[in-house]
């Protein structure tokens, strides 16, 4: 049935890192989610929409609010086109006639088939004036001052979603409705369960049974989760709440409701036993996959560390090999420069330079210095080229050797994981078969229970425990626990009826006595 879930958050330049708004757009439209993209006054393509919001972020003030994120659960009763139209109608109602740019991605396939929902990113700027319209990030005081509905933005959005969604359900011909109020406010005598996020659900169902820990929140407050949840996971807590609600219904004065509550409790115990067994098998498969991947990852990491060490040692060895040659070359160059300087600094050379009015001597000295400098440069370049060539050859050999080993390790890892994936896929198919069989058993038990309720309704004064059901032998793998629960429920209902009938008879006799006394006195 349709459920109510509406969440509002925001992304601002002062509260988030640069580019977070664009990253959220990419998350909404990620290909693996197979989203249905809807956009208004924004590009409908992922990269174009991300570039659009990035440009808007660069052009906005430094404390601007870039996006308001709305995440909403969509009704499973509606088909895909109806959900798309519902999102359009909601945003048109929210923005007062499509005045605000927004980008939405509906996730309703694959892993999200059982939980269709939509992510909406709203850039609160009027397309004409550039002013804020919804002002969802404003405080209650500012919204009241600006005469905006709410006065809290989240309450206003939750109210609008309830109204628009129920209108869509009514147009589609469905009787189900959503309600944003709590169970207590709705007058429903049932304990609420808690939300289990996708990460916690994956860990609990595929990795391990999670354990509570003490955590420190953003305000530095220590939250003692072990004392809060009393050792139960969220899934176990929800199962406990469901059992409490069923027990409450089973103790009600309505015999049919009590019987169905007993039936559901019995079937849930069987469902949980099956899921616990399948979860234990999934834990083993996940551990096998992770251990295999970790073993190859450790080998690849070891090869990479060894490669870096070998490269470092090779570079050091080459430097040490060429260091003496470089020192000798430097010493030789220094000696030759000193010799040239000594020759050009002799007395007769200085005299010739002074009396040579044509400047030929000075030009010859300068040419000699340049020639020596060019020769030294060529020698240094030759030495550097030999150094680089030797280093290139040595490093290339090490890289080729280790890259080959790393690629081989990657290939072995992929082959092993593919084999495990195929094996686990077969196990998942067997698990699906077990679930289908469990569902068939549940349906058969439901039909039997329904027939027993009908038989009991026809003969309300006949003990249900004495009834013989022709379909009892067709229960297959049933263990009879549901029958005892139903028997208790109907016997209790019969006792309540007999007690009620007895009280009515006593009241009738008392009324007759009162009437007799009244006539005698008259």
């Amino acid at each position: 049935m349709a459920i109510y879930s509406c969440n509002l958050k925001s992304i601002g330049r002062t509260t988030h890192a640069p580019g977070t708004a664009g990253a959220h757009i990419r998350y909404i439209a990620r290909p693996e989610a197979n989203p249905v993209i809807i956009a208004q006054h924004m590009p409908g393509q992922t990269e174009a929409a991300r570039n659009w919001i990035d440009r808007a972020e660069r052009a906005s003030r430094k404390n601007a609010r870039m996006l308001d994120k709305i995440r909403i659960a969509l009704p499973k009763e509606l088909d895909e086109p109806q959900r798309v139209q519902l999102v359009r109608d909601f945003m048109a109602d929210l923005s007062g006639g499509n005045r605000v740019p927004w980008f939405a991605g509906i996730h309703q396939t694959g892993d999200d088939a059982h939980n269709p929902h939509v992510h909406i990113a709203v850039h609160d700027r009027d397309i004409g004036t550039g002013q804020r319209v919804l002002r969802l990030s404003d405080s209650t005081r500012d919204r009241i001052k600006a005469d905006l509905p709410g006065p809290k933005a989240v309450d206003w959005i939750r109210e609008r979603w309830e109204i628009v969604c129920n209108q869509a359900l009514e147009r589609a011909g469905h009787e189900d409705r959503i309600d944003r109020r709590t169970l207590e406010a709705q007058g429903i005598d049932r304990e609420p369960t808690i939300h289990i996020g996708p990460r916690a659900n994956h860990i609990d169902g595929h990795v391990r049974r999670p354990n509570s820990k003490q955590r420190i929140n953003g305000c530095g407050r220590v939250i003692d989760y072990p004392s809060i949840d009393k050792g139960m996971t969220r899934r176990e807590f929800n199962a406990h709440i469901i059992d409490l609600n069923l027990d409450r219904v089973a103790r009600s004065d309505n015999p049919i409701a009590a019987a169905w509550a007993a039936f559901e409790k019995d079937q849930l115990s069987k469902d949980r036993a099956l899921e616990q067994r399948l979860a234990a098998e999934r834990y083993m498969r996940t551990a096998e996959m992770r251990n295999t991947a970790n073993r190859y990852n450790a080998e690849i990491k070891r090869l990479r560390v060894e490669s870096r060490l070998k490269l470092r040692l090779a570079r050091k060895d080459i430097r040490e090999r060429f260091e003496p040659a470089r020192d000798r070359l430097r010493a030789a160059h220094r000696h030759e420069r000193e010799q040239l300087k000594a020759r050009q600094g002799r007395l007769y050379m200085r005299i010739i330079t002074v009396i040579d009015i044509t400047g030929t001597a000075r030009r010859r000295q300068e040419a000699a210095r340049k020639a020596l400098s060019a020769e030294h440069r060529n020698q240094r370049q030759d030495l550097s080229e030999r150094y680089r060539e030797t280093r290139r050859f040595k490093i290339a050999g090490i890289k080729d050797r280790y890259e080959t080993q790393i690629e081989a390790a990657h290939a072995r890892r992929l082959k092993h994981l593919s084999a495990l994936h195929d094996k686990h896929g077969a196990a998942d198919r067997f698990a699906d078969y077990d679930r289908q069989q469990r569902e068939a058993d549940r349906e058969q038990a439901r039909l039997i229970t329904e027939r027993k309720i009908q038989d009991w309704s026809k003969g309300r004064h006949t003990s249900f425990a004495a009834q013989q059901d022709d379909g009892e032998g067709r229960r297959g793998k049933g263990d009879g626990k549901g029958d005892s629960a139903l028997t208790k429920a109907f016997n209790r209902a019969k006792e309540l009826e007999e007690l009620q009938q007895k009280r009515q008879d006593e009241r009738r006799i008392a009324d007759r006595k009162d009437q007799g006394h009244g006539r005698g006195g008259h």
Side-chain angles (χ1 to χ4, degrees):
M1 61 176 296
I3 62 173
Y4 188 93
S5 177
C6 182
N7 182 273
L8 173 65
K9 293 182 180 180
S10 60
I11 297 176
R13 294 196 65 180
T14 57
T15 57
H16 293 78
T20 303
H24 183 66
I25 294 291
R26 185 177 62 179
Y27 171 77
I28 291 175
R30 63 190 187 277
E32 55 269 24
N34 192 22
V36 177
I37 302 299
I38 318 170
Q40 184 74 33
H41 304 304
M42 284 179 64
Q45 295 76 29
T46 305
E47 290 303 320
R50 184 181 182 185
N51 294 335
W52 187 91
I53 197 67
D54 287 342
R55 288 194 299 270
E57 180 175 355
R58 289 192 294 269
S60 62
R61 66 180 188 274
K62 62 180 181 180
N63 63 340
R65 185 75 65 186
M66 294 311 304
L67 283 182
D68 291 297
K69 304 187 301 181
I70 307 175
R71 187 184 70 244
I72 305 174
L74 298 175
K76 296 182 67 175
E77 290 79 1
L78 302 181
D79 57 22
E80 295 185 8
Q82 290 172 338
R83 292 170 187 161
V84 171
Q85 187 59 43
L86 171 59
V87 174
R88 292 187 181 277
D89 293 343
F90 171 66
M91 290 307 301
D93 177 87
L94 204 65
S95 61
N98 292 325
R99 298 166 52 195
V100 176
W102 54 272
F103 184 94
I106 299 177
H107 300 168
Q108 55 190 352
T109 60
D111 294 339
D112 296 320
H114 70 289
N115 179 33
H117 60 279
V118 60
H119 296 268
I120 307 175
V122 183
H123 183 60
D124 189 14
R125 289 293 184 274
D126 189 284
I127 56 174
T129 63
Q131 301 296 320
R132 291 189 300 164
V133 178
L134 305 179
R135 300 177 65 169
L136 302 179
S137 59
D138 282 10
S139 64
T140 302
R141 183 184 62 182
D142 292 340
R143 291 185 65 83
I144 293 175
K145 185 177 180 181
D147 196 21
L148 294 171
K152 290 185 178 180
V154 64
D155 293 338
W156 173 58
I157 287 182
R158 289 172 63 84
E159 177 188 2
R160 298 315 305 167
W161 171 248
E162 177 187 348
I163 294 173
V164 175
C165 182
N166 286 335
Q167 290 174 351
L169 289 170
E170 183 179 2
R171 285 195 303 268
H174 298 287
E175 296 181 357
D176 293 325
R177 297 292 183 269
I178 62 173
D179 198 322
R180 71 183 187 280
R181 298 176 298 169
T182 63
L183 294 176
E184 182 179 1
Q186 296 178 48
I188 299 177
D189 187 15
R190 189 177 76 234
E191 293 291 332
T193 57
I194 58 176
H195 174 69
I196 303 177
R199 184 172 180 269
N201 193 42
H202 173 75
I203 292 174
D204 197 1
H206 294 82
V207 183
R208 67 180 185 279
R209 182 186 179 278
N211 297 322
S212 297
K213 299 179 181 178
Q214 287 187 350
R215 298 187 182 276
I216 301 177
N217 62 7
C219 300
R221 176 190 172 193
V222 178
I223 303 178
D224 189 10
Y225 282 108
S227 63
I228 294 174
D229 55 36
K230 296 179 175 57
M232 288 189 295
T233 65
R234 292 195 171 193
R235 184 177 294 181
E236 292 169 350
F237 177 81
N238 286 343
H240 174 67
I241 293 299
I242 292 172
D243 289 340
L244 290 179
N245 292 329
L246 289 175
D247 288 339
R248 184 178 300 174
V249 177
R251 292 192 300 270
S252 68
D253 295 338
N254 187 339
I256 295 179
W260 281 118
F263 166 79
E264 284 296 332
K265 190 170 182 180
D266 176 61
Q267 295 300 316
L268 280 176
S269 66
K270 297 176 182 178
D271 293 344
R272 290 167 186 166
L274 173 62
E275 288 302 326
Q276 286 177 0
R277 177 175 65 82
L278 297 179
E281 295 175 359
R282 290 195 299 270
Y283 292 167
M284 295 177 60
R285 293 197 294 270
T286 301
E288 186 178 13
M289 290 286 287
R290 290 191 171 185
N291 291 336
T292 301
N294 290 337
R295 185 169 66 253
Y296 285 105
N297 290 340
E299 181 183 358
I300 293 171
K301 182 178 179 180
R302 178 186 61 78
L303 290 172
R304 286 175 175 166
V305 171
E306 188 176 339
S307 173
R308 288 194 293 268
L309 179 60
K310 292 283 187 180
L311 290 173
R312 193 179 303 115
L313 292 176
R315 295 188 183 100
K316 181 179 178 182
D317 180 64
I318 294 171
R319 283 197 303 269
E320 291 176 350
R321 286 171 52 190
F322 276 84
E323 191 70 27
R326 187 178 61 180
D327 292 341
R328 289 193 300 268
L329 186 61
R330 286 176 177 174
H333 289 176
R334 185 167 54 252
H335 180 66
E336 291 177 0
R337 285 195 300 271
E338 291 175 352
Q339 285 183 336
L340 179 61
K341 184 178 180 180
R343 287 197 304 269
Q344 292 181 352
R346 291 174 182 175
L347 180 59
Y348 74 92
M349 293 298 298
R350 291 200 299 269
I351 295 173
I352 292 174
T353 303
V354 172
I355 64 176
D356 186 9
I357 60 175
T358 61
T360 303
R362 283 192 298 272
R363 286 194 295 270
R364 287 177 180 175
Q365 290 180 357
E366 184 66 25
R369 287 195 295 269
K370 289 183 178 180
L372 182 62
S373 178
E375 182 182 359
H376 289 175
R377 184 170 57 252
N378 293 334
Q379 291 175 357
R380 288 195 301 270
Q381 289 177 354
D382 291 342
L383 181 62
S384 298
E385 184 61 30
R386 291 200 307 272
Y387 170 78
R388 286 192 295 267
E389 186 63 28
T390 304
R391 179 181 174 182
R392 199 161 39 238
F393 175 78
K394 188 74 173 178
I395 290 177
I398 295 174
K399 285 186 176 180
D400 290 343
R401 182 169 69 255
Y402 279 98
E403 285 178 359
T404 302
Q405 295 180 14
I406 291 173
E407 289 177 1
H410 274 295
R412 291 194 302 271
R413 176 180 181 272
L414 180 60
K415 182 179 179 181
H416 198 165
L417 291 180
S418 298
L420 287 178
H421 185 270
D422 295 338
K423 184 179 75 171
H424 295 169
D428 288 336
R429 289 191 292 272
F430 281 114
D432 290 339
Y433 173 77
D434 290 340
R435 292 191 184 94
Q436 293 172 6
Q437 186 64 38
R438 173 84 274 279
E439 190 63 29
D441 292 343
R442 170 187 273 272
E443 181 63 19
Q444 188 176 11
R446 187 190 66 79
L447 294 175
I448 293 173
T449 303
E450 190 175 36
R451 188 163 56 251
K452 289 182 178 181
I453 291 175
Q454 293 174 356
D455 293 343
W456 180 84
S457 299
K458 292 177 182 178
R460 297 174 65 88
H461 300 291
T462 303
S463 175
F464 182 82
Q467 292 182 10
Q468 299 295 327
D469 195 293
D470 295 337
E472 192 69 25
R474 295 192 297 270
R475 288 194 63 182
K477 300 180 181 180
D479 54 7
K481 293 181 180 178
D483 295 339
S484 62
L486 289 172
T487 302
K488 292 179 181 179
F490 286 123
N491 286 339
R492 182 173 178 274
K494 185 178 179 181
E495 292 175 358
L496 291 174
E497 286 186 349
E498 291 175 351
L499 181 60
Q500 184 178 6
Q501 185 66 33
K502 183 178 179 180
R503 290 176 178 174
Q504 290 177 356
D505 293 341
E506 292 176 350
R507 191 180 302 109
R508 194 179 300 112
I509 293 173
D511 291 342
R512 289 176 181 175
K513 288 182 179 180
D514 292 340
Q515 292 176 2
H517 288 309
R519 285 193 297 268
H522 180 70

